[in-house]
Amino acid sequence: AAMRHLPYFCRGEVVKGFGRGSKELGIPTANFSEQVVESFPSDISTGIYYGWACVGNGDVHKMVLSIGWNPFYKNIKKSVETHIIHTFKEDFYGEILSIVILGYIRPENNFDSLEALISAIQEDIEEAKRQLDLPEHLKLKEDNFFHLPEGKMVNNH
Ligand code: ADP
Ligand code: MG
């Protein structure tokens, strides 16, 4: 069921999150605006995914993404957050983030400790890196979606 909507192409502005301290954990997550989140299929599974991401018209990088319940809205709305597997020199709030979601890693879990959470995310990142090196996933890195001018929103292109 998690795979039904994949590959999923999406682009939108990076907004300020709700300060869960992702960056302090060394795993910053670029949050999409509420409007972008609302445009997602309502039955898409929450959990951790992998795919490709690009900020503005920059390079395309591997990413892990979480679709979860947004505590800011008392968990009635989803949040979509992308951790790009790349070290950026600066934050990129307000920029346009383009992503393609290619695969599902695991459901959202509750962890007993911060250490357990961080090590799960490190494993997600390793899994994403391995998966994205497969030829079937590598080819999406070159997809025209990442080179089209903004505004040409094409999910079923
Ligand atoms: P917030 O709660 O505002 O989302 P985070 O601690 O999750 O704060 O940090 C997210 C911000 O960090 C992003 O919006 C982006 O500007 C910046 N950032 C820097 N490097 C990355 C990266 N590799 N992946 C995602 N965001 C990054
Ligand atoms: Mg965030």
Side-chain angles (χ1 to χ4, degrees):
M3 300 294 288
R4 182 154 34 112
H5 298 288
L6 307 187
Y8 190 80
F9 293 84
C10 169
R11 100 165 104 231
E13 192 181 341
V14 175
V15 302
K16 195 92 188 114
F18 25 81
R20 283 202 282 215
S22 316
K23 205 176 286 169
E24 286 71 22
L25 304 182
I27 319 152
T29 60
N31 294 49
F32 276 126
S33 69
E34 193 187 325
Q35 192 189 338
V36 172
V37 176
E38 303 256 291
S39 72
F40 270 61
S42 58
D43 61 343
I44 199 164
S45 303
T46 61
I48 312 300
Y49 295 79
Y50 60 82
W52 298 104
C54 152
V55 177
N57 44 27
D59 294 338
V60 181
H61 300 288
K62 293 174 176 177
M63 63 79 162
V64 288
L65 172 124
S66 99
I67 301 180
W69 294 105
N70 191 330
F72 187 79
Y73 292 100
K74 298 194 162 60
N75 299 332
I76 56 167
K77 291 190 178 187
K78 281 175 182 162
S79 73
V80 178
E81 308 185 21
T82 304
H83 171 67
I84 303 174
I85 306 173
H86 177 76
T87 304
F88 289 87
K89 291 203 185 73
E90 289 173 346
D91 286 351
F92 44 84
Y93 290 110
E95 299 231 35
I96 300 297
L97 174 65
S98 300
I99 64 168
V100 56
I101 308 172
L102 294 177
Y104 185 74
I105 300 178
R106 62 171 173 86
E108 280 191 292
N109 287 325
N110 285 317
F111 292 95
D112 296 336
S113 66
L114 202 55
E115 290 70 34
L117 170 65
I118 294 172
S119 75
I121 297 169
Q122 296 304 345
E123 282 171 34
D124 296 337
I125 290 171
E126 292 312 311
E127 174 69 5
K129 286 181 180 170
R130 277 194 298 273
Q131 289 289 339
L132 290 162
D133 278 335
L134 299 174
E136 60 185 294
H137 292 139
L138 264 178
K139 69 170 198 272
L140 271 294
K141 186 182 183 184
E142 314 300 332
D143 196 276
N144 275 336
F145 175 74
F146 291 116
H147 308 292
L148 282 173
E150 198 193 320
K152 295 199 178 172
M153 184 49 142
V154 272
N155 204 40
N156 296 306
H157 68 309

